[in-house]
Amino acid sequence: MPVPDSRREKLVVEKSLPDIRLDQFLREKFPAVSRGVFKRLIEEGHARVNGKMVKATHTPRAGEEIEIHWPETRPAEAQPEEMPLDILFEDDALLVLNKPAGLVVHPSAGHDEHTLVNALLHHCHGSLSGIGGVARPGIVHRLDKETSGCLVVAKNDETHLALSKQFAERVVEKIYNAIVCGETVRDSGEIRAAIARHPSHRKRMAVSDDDSGRAAHTKWRVLERLTGATLVEAYIFTGRTHQIRVHFQFLGYPLAGDQTYGARQNKRLEEVSGYEAPRVMLHARVLSFTHPGTGKKLKFESPLPKDFRGGLKRLRLVGDSK
Protein backbone atom coordinates (compact mmCIF):
# COMPACT_ATOMS: atom_id res chain seq x y z
CA MET A 1 0.00 0.00 0.00
CA PRO A 2 1.50 3.41 -0.91
CA VAL A 3 2.36 5.75 1.91
CA PRO A 4 0.14 8.88 1.98
CA ASP A 5 2.00 12.13 1.26
CA SER A 6 1.00 13.37 4.73
CA ARG A 7 3.08 10.54 6.21
CA ARG A 8 6.06 10.96 3.87
CA GLU A 9 8.97 13.32 4.48
CA LYS A 10 11.93 14.00 2.17
CA LEU A 11 15.04 16.06 2.82
CA VAL A 12 18.41 16.52 1.11
CA VAL A 13 21.67 16.63 3.09
CA GLU A 14 23.25 20.03 2.41
CA LYS A 15 26.77 19.17 3.56
CA SER A 16 28.67 16.06 4.65
CA LEU A 17 28.63 15.38 8.38
CA PRO A 18 31.38 12.83 9.15
CA ASP A 19 31.04 13.25 12.93
CA ILE A 20 27.32 12.61 13.27
CA ARG A 21 25.15 9.49 12.90
CA LEU A 22 22.03 9.39 10.77
CA ASP A 23 19.74 8.92 13.78
CA GLN A 24 21.36 11.94 15.45
CA PHE A 25 20.98 13.98 12.26
CA LEU A 26 17.27 13.18 12.03
CA ARG A 27 16.81 13.93 15.73
CA GLU A 28 18.18 17.43 15.08
CA LYS A 29 15.74 17.91 12.19
CA PHE A 30 12.72 16.61 14.13
CA PRO A 31 13.32 17.40 17.83
CA ALA A 32 9.89 16.16 18.86
CA VAL A 33 10.92 12.61 17.88
CA SER A 34 13.42 10.73 20.03
CA ARG A 35 16.67 9.32 18.71
CA GLY A 36 15.49 5.86 19.77
CA VAL A 37 12.43 6.16 17.52
CA PHE A 38 14.61 7.17 14.56
CA LYS A 39 16.98 4.26 15.23
CA ARG A 40 14.01 1.89 15.03
CA LEU A 41 12.62 3.56 11.89
CA ILE A 42 16.01 3.20 10.18
CA GLU A 43 16.37 -0.45 11.22
CA GLU A 44 12.85 -1.24 9.93
CA GLY A 45 13.44 0.50 6.60
CA HIS A 46 11.06 3.39 7.23
CA ALA A 47 13.94 5.86 6.89
CA ARG A 48 16.12 5.30 3.80
CA VAL A 49 19.02 7.07 2.12
CA ASN A 50 18.82 7.36 -1.68
CA GLY A 51 16.12 4.71 -1.57
CA LYS A 52 18.34 2.16 0.21
CA MET A 53 18.31 0.77 3.73
CA VAL A 54 21.29 1.88 5.83
CA LYS A 55 22.37 1.56 9.45
CA ALA A 56 21.67 4.16 12.12
CA THR A 57 25.43 4.76 12.26
CA HIS A 58 25.49 5.92 8.63
CA THR A 59 27.12 9.36 8.30
CA PRO A 60 25.11 11.77 6.12
CA ARG A 61 26.88 12.95 2.97
CA ALA A 62 26.20 16.03 0.89
CA GLY A 63 23.56 15.47 -1.78
CA GLU A 64 22.03 12.38 -0.23
CA GLU A 65 18.23 12.24 -0.19
CA ILE A 66 16.65 10.90 2.98
CA GLU A 67 13.07 9.71 2.81
CA ILE A 68 11.06 8.97 5.93
CA HIS A 69 7.81 7.00 5.93
CA TRP A 70 6.01 7.67 9.18
CA PRO A 71 4.31 4.35 10.03
CA GLU A 72 0.75 4.12 11.27
CA THR A 73 0.49 4.57 15.01
CA ARG A 74 0.00 1.70 17.40
CA PRO A 75 -2.95 1.80 19.82
CA ALA A 76 -2.22 3.95 22.85
CA GLU A 77 -0.87 2.01 25.81
CA ALA A 78 -1.62 4.83 28.22
CA GLN A 79 -5.20 4.87 29.45
CA PRO A 80 -7.45 7.94 29.22
CA GLU A 81 -8.11 9.67 32.53
CA GLU A 82 -10.50 12.48 33.30
CA MET A 83 -8.34 15.22 34.80
CA PRO A 84 -8.75 19.00 34.87
CA LEU A 85 -6.84 20.90 32.17
CA ASP A 86 -6.25 24.65 32.04
CA ILE A 87 -6.65 25.20 28.29
CA LEU A 88 -5.54 28.54 26.86
CA PHE A 89 -6.47 27.76 23.24
CA GLU A 90 -7.93 24.87 21.26
CA ASP A 91 -9.05 24.12 17.70
CA ASP A 92 -9.13 21.04 15.44
CA ALA A 93 -5.35 21.09 14.89
CA LEU A 94 -3.80 21.83 18.27
CA LEU A 95 -4.28 23.01 21.80
CA VAL A 96 -2.19 25.13 24.17
CA LEU A 97 -2.49 24.53 27.88
CA ASN A 98 -1.17 25.92 31.12
CA LYS A 99 0.65 22.99 32.72
CA PRO A 100 0.69 22.97 36.54
CA ALA A 101 3.87 22.17 38.45
CA GLY A 102 4.04 18.56 39.60
CA LEU A 103 2.31 17.10 36.56
CA VAL A 104 4.37 14.50 34.66
CA VAL A 105 4.01 14.86 30.88
CA HIS A 106 4.68 11.31 29.63
CA PRO A 107 3.91 7.95 31.26
CA SER A 108 7.10 6.18 32.35
CA ALA A 109 8.35 3.69 34.89
CA GLY A 110 6.73 4.72 38.16
CA HIS A 111 4.41 7.19 36.42
CA ASP A 112 2.06 5.12 34.27
CA GLU A 113 -1.04 7.09 35.24
CA HIS A 114 -2.14 10.59 36.26
CA THR A 115 0.09 12.12 33.55
CA LEU A 116 -0.66 14.83 31.02
CA VAL A 117 -0.86 12.22 28.25
CA ASN A 118 -3.53 10.31 30.20
CA ALA A 119 -5.52 13.54 30.55
CA LEU A 120 -5.10 14.45 26.87
CA LEU A 121 -6.24 11.02 25.70
CA HIS A 122 -9.47 11.58 27.61
CA HIS A 123 -9.95 15.20 26.60
CA CYS A 124 -9.21 14.67 22.89
CA HIS A 125 -10.88 11.25 22.67
CA GLY A 126 -7.75 9.75 21.10
CA SER A 127 -7.39 12.50 18.49
CA LEU A 128 -3.69 13.22 18.96
CA SER A 129 -0.60 12.95 16.76
CA GLY A 130 1.46 9.77 16.76
CA ILE A 131 4.67 10.57 14.89
CA GLY A 132 7.11 7.67 14.70
CA GLY A 133 4.52 4.98 15.28
CA VAL A 134 4.42 5.62 19.00
CA ALA A 135 1.27 5.73 21.12
CA ARG A 136 -0.67 8.91 20.45
CA PRO A 137 0.78 11.48 22.86
CA GLY A 138 0.60 14.64 20.74
CA ILE A 139 3.48 16.17 22.70
CA VAL A 140 5.57 18.45 20.47
CA HIS A 141 7.86 19.75 23.25
CA ARG A 142 8.15 18.93 26.92
CA LEU A 143 8.31 20.64 30.28
CA ASP A 144 9.90 19.02 33.32
CA LYS A 145 7.58 17.69 35.99
CA GLU A 146 8.23 20.66 38.30
CA THR A 147 8.08 23.31 35.56
CA SER A 148 4.78 25.11 35.05
CA GLY A 149 3.42 27.10 32.13
CA CYS A 150 2.64 27.06 28.40
CA LEU A 151 2.74 23.81 26.43
CA VAL A 152 1.48 23.13 22.88
CA VAL A 153 -0.05 19.79 21.85
CA ALA A 154 -0.66 18.58 18.27
CA LYS A 155 -3.87 16.77 17.36
CA ASN A 156 -2.64 15.33 14.05
CA ASP A 157 0.64 14.34 12.42
CA GLU A 158 0.72 17.20 9.90
CA THR A 159 0.47 19.75 12.72
CA HIS A 160 3.03 17.83 14.79
CA LEU A 161 5.60 17.83 11.97
CA ALA A 162 5.02 21.50 11.14
CA LEU A 163 5.38 22.60 14.77
CA SER A 164 8.41 20.35 15.24
CA LYS A 165 10.02 22.07 12.25
CA GLN A 166 9.40 25.50 13.81
CA PHE A 167 11.07 24.35 17.02
CA ALA A 168 14.02 22.91 15.05
CA GLU A 169 14.41 26.14 13.08
CA ARG A 170 14.32 28.10 16.34
CA VAL A 171 11.48 30.40 15.30
CA VAL A 172 9.30 29.55 18.30
CA GLU A 173 9.43 32.20 21.03
CA LYS A 174 9.90 30.66 24.49
CA ILE A 175 10.23 32.96 27.50
CA TYR A 176 10.57 31.71 31.07
CA ASN A 177 10.59 33.29 34.51
CA ALA A 178 12.86 31.82 37.16
CA ILE A 179 13.96 32.58 40.70
CA VAL A 180 17.68 31.90 40.98
CA CYS A 181 19.79 31.56 44.10
CA GLY A 182 22.10 34.49 44.74
CA GLU A 183 22.07 38.11 43.64
CA THR A 184 23.46 38.28 40.11
CA VAL A 185 26.32 40.67 39.48
CA ARG A 186 25.15 41.56 35.98
CA ASP A 187 21.72 42.80 34.87
CA SER A 188 21.63 40.68 31.72
CA GLY A 189 23.65 38.28 29.62
CA GLU A 190 23.82 35.45 27.12
CA ILE A 191 24.97 31.90 27.64
CA ARG A 192 26.26 29.89 24.70
CA ALA A 193 27.42 26.62 26.24
CA ALA A 194 26.85 23.13 24.84
CA ILE A 195 24.99 20.63 27.03
CA ALA A 196 25.56 16.87 27.30
CA ARG A 197 24.71 14.03 29.64
CA HIS A 198 26.75 14.28 32.86
CA PRO A 199 29.69 11.85 32.62
CA SER A 200 29.07 10.22 36.01
CA HIS A 201 25.52 11.20 37.05
CA ARG A 202 23.38 9.82 34.23
CA LYS A 203 20.17 11.56 35.33
CA ARG A 204 21.85 14.96 35.17
CA MET A 205 23.02 17.17 32.34
CA ALA A 206 26.11 19.36 32.30
CA VAL A 207 27.87 22.01 30.24
CA SER A 208 30.28 20.21 27.92
CA ASP A 209 33.39 21.48 26.15
CA ASP A 210 33.89 18.41 23.95
CA ASP A 211 32.07 16.99 20.91
CA SER A 212 29.49 15.16 23.04
CA GLY A 213 27.55 18.34 23.79
CA ARG A 214 24.69 19.84 21.78
CA ALA A 215 24.68 23.59 21.15
CA ALA A 216 22.57 25.52 23.66
CA HIS A 217 21.82 29.24 23.75
CA THR A 218 20.04 31.19 26.51
CA LYS A 219 19.55 34.96 26.83
CA TRP A 220 18.50 36.43 30.18
CA ARG A 221 17.83 39.64 32.08
CA VAL A 222 17.07 40.62 35.66
CA LEU A 223 13.46 41.51 36.43
CA GLU A 224 13.81 42.06 40.18
CA ARG A 225 16.49 41.76 42.85
CA LEU A 226 15.38 39.89 45.98
CA THR A 227 16.88 38.84 49.31
CA GLY A 228 19.58 36.28 48.47
CA ALA A 229 17.91 35.61 45.13
CA THR A 230 17.05 37.18 41.78
CA LEU A 231 13.95 37.04 39.59
CA VAL A 232 15.08 36.61 35.99
CA GLU A 233 13.54 36.31 32.55
CA ALA A 234 15.14 33.71 30.27
CA TYR A 235 14.68 33.48 26.51
CA ILE A 236 15.83 30.14 25.10
CA PHE A 237 16.80 29.74 21.46
CA THR A 238 17.36 25.99 21.80
CA GLY A 239 15.46 23.37 23.78
CA ARG A 240 18.01 21.12 25.46
CA THR A 241 17.12 18.94 28.43
CA HIS A 242 17.34 21.00 31.65
CA GLN A 243 18.82 23.87 29.61
CA ILE A 244 17.88 26.79 31.88
CA ARG A 245 18.73 24.83 35.03
CA VAL A 246 22.15 23.81 33.70
CA HIS A 247 23.03 27.20 32.24
CA PHE A 248 22.26 29.08 35.45
CA GLN A 249 24.19 26.53 37.48
CA PHE A 250 27.07 27.17 35.06
CA LEU A 251 26.82 30.90 35.85
CA GLY A 252 26.87 30.12 39.59
CA TYR A 253 23.19 30.92 40.20
CA PRO A 254 21.21 27.63 40.23
CA LEU A 255 17.43 27.82 40.38
CA ALA A 256 15.65 28.08 43.71
CA GLY A 257 14.28 24.67 44.67
CA ASP A 258 16.66 22.80 42.35
CA GLN A 259 18.25 20.19 44.62
CA THR A 260 19.74 18.39 41.60
CA TYR A 261 21.87 21.28 40.41
CA GLY A 262 22.06 23.59 43.42
CA ALA A 263 21.62 21.92 46.81
CA ARG A 264 24.38 23.95 48.47
CA GLN A 265 23.15 27.29 47.12
CA ASN A 266 19.56 26.49 48.10
CA LYS A 267 20.69 25.74 51.64
CA ARG A 268 22.44 29.11 51.70
CA LEU A 269 19.28 30.84 50.39
CA GLU A 270 17.24 29.29 53.18
CA GLU A 271 19.78 30.45 55.77
CA VAL A 272 19.76 34.02 54.43
CA SER A 273 16.04 34.46 53.81
CA GLY A 274 14.22 31.61 55.56
CA TYR A 275 12.68 30.69 52.21
CA GLU A 276 12.64 27.05 51.11
CA ALA A 277 11.30 26.68 47.56
CA PRO A 278 8.66 23.93 47.22
CA ARG A 279 9.89 22.99 43.72
CA VAL A 280 12.20 24.13 40.96
CA MET A 281 11.04 27.72 40.50
CA LEU A 282 10.76 27.79 36.72
CA HIS A 283 7.71 28.93 34.77
CA ALA A 284 7.16 28.88 30.97
CA ARG A 285 5.42 32.26 30.82
CA VAL A 286 5.28 32.97 27.07
CA LEU A 287 4.95 30.69 24.03
CA SER A 288 4.57 32.06 20.51
CA PHE A 289 4.49 30.24 17.16
CA THR A 290 2.80 30.26 13.74
CA HIS A 291 -0.33 28.16 13.42
CA PRO A 292 0.49 25.50 10.77
CA GLY A 293 -3.03 25.52 9.38
CA THR A 294 -3.94 29.21 9.29
CA GLY A 295 -0.49 30.80 9.08
CA LYS A 296 -1.51 33.16 11.87
CA LYS A 297 0.99 34.15 14.54
CA LEU A 298 -0.22 32.99 17.95
CA LYS A 299 1.11 34.18 21.30
CA PHE A 300 0.12 32.88 24.71
CA GLU A 301 1.04 34.00 28.21
CA SER A 302 0.58 32.08 31.43
CA PRO A 303 0.37 34.08 34.69
CA LEU A 304 2.77 33.19 37.49
CA PRO A 305 1.27 30.38 39.59
CA LYS A 306 0.42 30.74 43.28
CA ASP A 307 3.55 29.06 44.64
CA PHE A 308 5.77 31.26 42.46
CA ARG A 309 4.00 34.44 43.56
CA GLY A 310 4.24 33.24 47.17
CA GLY A 311 8.00 32.83 46.86
CA LEU A 312 8.40 36.33 45.48
CA LYS A 313 6.26 37.77 48.27
CA ARG A 314 8.30 35.99 50.93
CA LEU A 315 11.65 37.11 49.48
CA ARG A 316 10.39 40.71 49.18
CA LEU A 317 9.13 40.80 52.77
CA VAL A 318 12.50 39.64 54.04
CA GLY A 319 14.14 42.46 52.13
CA ASP A 320 11.68 45.06 53.43
CA SER A 321 12.28 44.02 57.03
CA LYS A 322 16.03 44.63 56.86
Side-chain angles (χ1 to χ4, degrees):
M1 180 180 295
V3 179
D5 289 340
S6 62
R7 305 194 68 84
R8 186 193 306 268
E9 192 82 27
K10 288 185 179 181
L11 60 154
V12 176
V13 180
E14 295 180 356
K15 65 177 181 179
S16 297
L17 301 167
D19 298 323
I20 191 171
R21 296 161 46 118
L22 179 59
D23 54 355
Q24 292 174 311
F25 172 76
L26 292 175
R27 174 69 175 81
E28 290 283 349
K29 294 295 183 181
F30 303 95
V33 184
S34 73
R35 179 175 161 184
V37 167
F38 276 123
K39 186 173 184 294
R40 177 171 56 79
L41 292 178
I42 294 167
E43 291 172 348
E44 295 176 354
H46 294 299
R48 301 188 176 214
V49 177
N50 293 337
K52 299 178 180 179
M53 289 185 65
V54 297
K55 294 182 178 180
T57 55
H58 173 83
T59 56
R61 300 181 182 91
E64 289 181 334
E65 182 180 81
I66 301 171
E67 184 169 3
I68 304 168
H69 292 172
W70 302 107
E72 292 297 330
T73 56
R74 300 189 298 271
E77 296 178 3
Q79 297 302 308
E81 288 185 54
E82 186 173 3
M83 297 167 57
L85 292 174
D86 183 2
I87 296 174
L88 304 176
F89 173 86
E90 182 174 15
D91 64 10
D92 292 339
L94 57 86
L95 64 86
V96 178
L97 56 89
N98 183 18
K99 175 191 163 311
L103 178 63
V104 175
V105 173
H106 271 294
S108 60
H111 293 100
D112 58 354
E113 56 184 7
H114 310 316
T115 71
L116 177 58
V117 166
N118 296 114
L120 288 170
L121 286 169
H122 178 272
H123 177 79
C124 298
H125 306 290
S127 178
L128 293 167
S129 68
I131 288 299
V134 297
R136 299 176 176 271
I139 306 300
V140 180
H141 66 124
R142 304 182 187 186
L143 295 178
D144 292 341
K145 174 185 176 182
E146 295 189 21
T147 303
S148 55
C150 297
L151 185 75
V152 62
V153 175
K155 289 188 175 182
N156 56 62
D157 291 350
E158 293 83 358
T159 301
H160 194 134
L161 286 170
L163 288 173
S164 180
K165 185 177 181 182
Q166 289 186 46
F167 276 92
E169 294 176 348
R170 303 176 185 178
V171 294
V172 176
E173 183 182 45
K174 296 168 286 184
I175 301 176
Y176 292 73
N177 282 160
I179 300 175
V180 302
C181 296
E183 299 175 32
T184 63
V185 175
R186 299 174 59 187
D187 290 330
S188 62
E190 286 192 64
I191 312 165
R192 294 178 182 266
I195 293 175
R197 185 71 58 183
H198 194 286
S200 55
H201 300 282
R202 302 307 295 170
K203 292 185 178 181
R204 295 175 57 182
M205 308 300 288
V207 165
S208 173
D209 57 3
D210 58 32
D211 293 336
S212 65
R214 300 175 68 192
H217 181 194
T218 304
K219 186 176 182 179
W220 64 276
R221 68 185 181 99
V222 171
L223 295 180
E224 184 177 354
R225 296 190 176 278
L226 307 162
T227 302
T230 310
L231 173 64
V232 300
E233 178 181 87
Y235 184 107
I236 61 172
F237 298 87
T238 51
R240 308 307 179 205
T241 301
H242 297 177
Q243 177 172 323
I244 293 175
R245 297 165 66 186
V246 171
H247 271 175
F248 275 97
Q249 180 206 36
F250 180 65
L251 288 183
Y253 306 101
L255 271 60
D258 196 341
Q259 297 300 321
T260 299
Y261 295 103
R264 178 175 57 82
Q265 292 91 336
N266 270 277
K267 184 177 180 180
R268 174 59 179 163
L269 175 60
E270 187 177 356
E271 291 172 350
V272 170
S273 66
Y275 174 65
E276 183 178 4
R279 63 168 173 106
V280 177
M281 302 310 289
L282 181 62
H283 179 67
R285 184 172 57 85
V286 175
L287 179 67
S288 180
F289 56 88
T290 299
H291 192 294
T294 66
K296 183 180 179 180
K297 187 78 171 180
L298 302 178
K299 186 172 185 177
F300 304 96
E301 184 162 355
S302 167
L304 293 176
K306 184 178 180 179
D307 61 352
F308 205 113
R309 299 195 309 271
L312 292 175
K313 182 178 180 180
R314 176 67 181 273
L315 291 167
R316 288 165 182 156
L317 286 173
V318 173
D320 292 341
S321 66
K322 290 187 176 181

